[in-house]
Amino acid sequence: ELLHESGSVFVQISDENLHHVRELMDEIFGSKNYISQISFVKTSSSTKDFISPTVDFLLWYGKEKAVTKYHALMLEKVPGEKGGSGYTRFRLPNGDTRPLSEADIGNSGIYCRDNLTSQSVGREKGEGAACWFPITIAGREYLPSMQARWKTNELGIQRLQRSNRLEAAGSGVGYVRFLDDFPAFPLGDYWSDVMPSFMADKNYVVQTAIRVIERCVLMTTDPGDLVLDPTCGSGSTAFVAEKWGRRWITCDTSRVSVTLAKQRLMTASYDYYELKYPQEGLKSGFIYKTVPHIMLSSIASNPEIDEIYERMQPVVEATLAELNKAAKQKLKEWEVPFDFPADWPEAAGKAFDTFHAARQAVQKKMDDSIAAHADQETLYDQPAVSKNKLRITGPFTVEAVPF
């Protein structure tokens, strides 16, 4: 009855009683309003006769699932780790590519070859289908299998090719997806990074880790929303709600618990988060950091790529002609080496540099256009922090029910 139509309920429970609590929640909220069962790591080891339980669970229900408020939280992609395991290639500023090395980590240019074909049900495939046609790369022709099709049409493929987003490997063609295209990935239902150090920040053995509470609050509420925790404990939920600009109510049967929570809140200090519209107060929300989300479809539908290519490619072709003349070669654009060959005439050096400068200038314009047309994803756990302000807990009251 207290919960808003767009509100959520989280119940933390161990594996021993998980199924019973799930049945109760289904009865109270309806199975149709079940959203997720989140597992989070609570300890690194345990002693039992059989497999040691190392996770606790959060059962997440909405009052009305169809209108439940939800903000996707993001984690950073790291090459070789979850979310970034496929990023094993690196493109140098001059356009040359190589396998990823340790020295490349942290630099722009990390990429993976993503799948360019689709096997979606209900779409026509094979010869004659709308997205089944040859792609020519470096003089070689490539086709999807008879059971698949390209993920975009001929115009889209042309724009991907012009922006240097296609790469052949063996008998196939891949879409070049840079790590910087979307340097984050959505948080799932298994949280392995929330385990506190041994008894760190714990006043109770069963106390929920701060990061777990933060994620629940940030996923399902906005600044100014009201959070209720009927099991106060040491006041962790109230502390988190206060930190992130949410209103809160908490209660407990223990006077010790209430006293602990009161002391914790009165002595706490927090970062001051910049408001989106200061004149409107907390309800306007915070200014959040965002990250780009460049997709194949956004490049394939970007008409500016054609304009840049038609305007700048003639310069590349003219410099290539000058290079071939100076070096006495008959090279195609993709055949020009990235390093000046030792057996070429020294006089061709200037033409060689001019050609690569022209080609890199086109690539930069393409990359800038792609970035300008990218969608943005909001990082709800990274609001802008004021450098000259600090917050303390706002006014609150403590009430006791008389015995």
Side-chain angles (χ1 to χ4, degrees), residues 55-335:
V55 298
D56 265 354
F57 300 91
L58 288 172
L59 288 175
W60 177 12
Y61 282 75
K63 177 75 172 286
E64 292 289 343
K65 184 176 179 180
V67 295
T68 297
K69 185 180 293 186
Y70 172 63
H71 303 305
L73 300 184
M74 302 288 173
L75 299 177
E76 182 184 4
K77 282 182 186 175
V78 178
E81 298 183 11
K82 184 178 179 181
S85 57
Y87 292 86
T88 59
R89 304 281 301 168
F90 186 74
R91 181 180 288 176
L92 296 163
N94 65 0
D96 197 6
T97 61
R98 68 185 184 204
L100 183 69
S101 69
E102 281 292 330
D104 300 325
I105 304 296
N107 296 317
S108 296
I110 300 171
Y111 73 96
C112 67
R113 296 191 196 103
D114 207 349
N115 187 16
L116 189 62
T117 61
S118 172
Q119 297 182 348
S120 54
V121 177
R123 296 295 296 271
E124 194 177 353
K125 304 174 186 71
E127 191 169 0
C131 291
W132 200 93
F133 50 85
I135 297 176
T136 302
I137 297 178
R140 181 178 173 181
E141 196 172 88
Y142 298 87
L143 283 166
S145 71
M146 294 300 291
Q147 292 75 41
R149 61 186 181 86
W150 303 124
K151 288 184 176 179
T152 184
N153 57 24
E154 290 189 68
L155 180 58
I157 290 293
Q158 183 185 74
R159 287 170 178 163
L160 290 170
Q161 198 162 7
R162 286 178 169 182
S163 58
N164 203 16
R165 286 298 188 119
L166 297 183
E167 184 171 288
S171 59
V173 178
Y175 163 61
V176 174
R177 185 186 300 278
F178 288 102
L179 184 70
D180 292 340
D181 285 352
F182 186 29
F185 67 100
L187 178 69
D189 61 1
Y190 178 70
W191 300 351
S192 61
D193 58 344
V194 295
M195 183 179 68
S197 57
F198 181 69
M199 293 305 290
D201 303 320
K202 278 199 171 189
N203 295 307
Y204 294 91
V205 174
V206 295
Q207 183 176 329
T208 306
I210 289 292
R211 293 188 70 184
V212 173
I213 302 172
E214 283 185 329
R215 285 181 175 175
C216 294
V217 169
L218 293 172
M219 282 195 303
T220 58
T221 66
D222 288 314
D225 285 353
L226 182 61
V227 177
L228 168 66
D229 182 2
T231 54
C232 175
S234 65
S236 294
T237 300
F239 175 86
V240 168
E242 189 72 33
K243 174 183 176 180
W244 293 101
R246 275 67 168 173
R247 296 174 297 145
W248 52 269
I249 299 173
T250 188
C251 53
D252 207 291
T253 57
S254 168
R255 292 179 181 271
V256 175
S257 172
V258 173
T259 301
L260 275 173
K262 176 183 174 183
Q263 180 69 15
R264 183 178 186 181
L265 290 164
M266 290 180 66
T267 57
S269 62
Y270 317 92
D271 288 327
Y272 183 94
Y273 301 131
E274 299 288 358
L275 298 173
K276 191 172 184 180
Y277 302 109
Q279 67 276 12
E280 295 182 12
L282 196 57
K283 66 179 181 179
S284 70
F286 301 135
I287 299 172
Y288 295 102
K289 180 181 177 181
T290 61
V291 292
H293 191 173
I294 297 170
M295 298 176 286
L296 182 153
S297 58
S298 63
I299 300 174
S301 61
N302 183 354
E304 201 170 78
I305 289 173
D306 298 328
E307 185 273 326
I308 294 169
Y309 183 86
E310 291 163 6
R311 175 166 50 87
M312 301 185 71
Q313 185 61 21
V315 177
V316 176
E317 293 171 359
T319 57
L320 176 61
E322 288 295 323
L323 174 60
N324 278 327
K325 182 179 178 181
K328 299 178 181 178
Q329 302 287 329
K330 294 182 179 179
L331 300 174
K332 303 290 187 183
E333 184 178 335
W334 65 84
E335 295 174 325

